[in-house]
Amino acid sequence: MFDGAYQRDGVMPAHRPTYGGLNLLDHADGACPRFGSCHLRLRPAVLGRATFCLGDSHLSPEVVGTADAFEAVLAGLLAGVAASGECLGRAGTGVAALAWTLLDPPTTPGAVGRALDDYVEAQVHGTLDLAYDVEELVVDPSFAGTPTGVTLESIAERFGFPLRWHAGFVLAVDQVDAEFRGPAIPVLAARVHREFARAGGPVDAALIGRAAASVVVEPHRWADRGPIADTLQHLKQLWHVLVRFGTPYGT
């Protein structure tokens, strides 16, 4: 994408871009929640040193742009609607939902987007400094009162930006879909829930995180499931199911 600029002599791995997403619809769960339940919202000044592409960069997209030359990305969003055959309306999903906001911004701020496959990827060039470039840290409520939550709160306090809790996603273990990411996922969900749920609670981000940590530090515990890489992949897919079908906390 960058004409080999990051593969030239003297360029260190730390010089490479930081990857994220452009939250066009201001979704509470971020621009691309498939990559995690918590995210950093960056300050507007970062836009000046960011590049963007429609879809994930590992697919070698042809639709790219910058904040000052964004027309191709907008056109790509609208072209995607036509190509997908989706109805351009609030009930649309994927690129249709993204494109809709260009014509009529949503009236309900803070809604979740559940963007698993369709998003505008952002690449931030240059150093990303937590103390200067971050506007806020947005955290899943399942981490409240946990060691992870304490760590996130201490990071926000250390670097001087606010921490905000979004609505999160929860799903009853018997409601884990067997088709969206395959029949192995409900089986894994039942095991994760049985071994790691607190007081029979629902499937949520913290539960999946506890299981993932166990896979890494206790691989023998999961040897019956085959290669560890496969189990980690299935846990990621369980997160995708949670994002797609979960409901906000307290509903």
Side-chain angles (χ1 to χ4, degrees), residues 22 152 170:
L22 183 63
L152 293 170
V170 295

Side-chain angles (χ1 to χ4, degrees), residues 122-211:
Q123 306 92 34
V124 179
H125 303 266
T127 301
L128 190 62
D129 193 308
L130 293 178
Y132 297 100
D133 297 321
V134 175
E135 191 164 271
E136 66 178 358
L137 172 59
V138 185
V139 178
D140 189 285
S142 64
F143 295 113
T146 70
T148 298
V150 172
T151 298
L152 293 170
E153 290 173 340
S154 67
I155 290 172
E157 182 178 359
R158 175 184 176 186
F159 291 99
F161 47 75
L163 181 146
R164 179 165 59 86
W165 304 92
H166 66 75
F169 299 108
V170 295
L171 189 65
V173 67
D174 60 358
Q175 293 180 352
V176 174
D177 186 83
E179 296 184 6
F180 185 61
R181 288 295 191 256
I185 308 308
V187 177
L188 176 61
R191 176 172 177 172
V192 167
H193 188 265
R194 182 174 62 253
E195 298 184 18
F196 296 95
R198 296 175 174 173
V203 176
D204 59 19
L207 174 65
I208 297 172
R210 289 194 292 273

Side-chain angles (χ1 to χ4, degrees), residues 35-89:
F35 296 109
S37 60
C38 307
H39 64 277
L40 296 167
R41 292 177 64 101
L42 304 181
R43 296 185 182 279
V46 177
L47 288 170
R49 53 188 176 93
T51 49
F52 306 98
C53 62
L54 185 56
D56 200 287
S57 56
H58 90 276
L59 299 173
S60 301
E62 297 181 356
V63 180
V64 297
T66 65
D68 293 330
F70 200 69
E71 293 83 358
V73 178
L74 298 182
L77 286 170
L78 296 174
V81 174
S84 68
E86 295 185 67
C87 174
L88 184 59

Side-chain angles (χ1 to χ4, degrees), residues 96-118:
L98 278 173
W100 176 254
T101 193
L102 307 178
L103 304 178
D104 187 5
T107 58
T108 305
V112 296
R114 306 178 189 269
L116 291 171
D117 301 308
D118 296 286

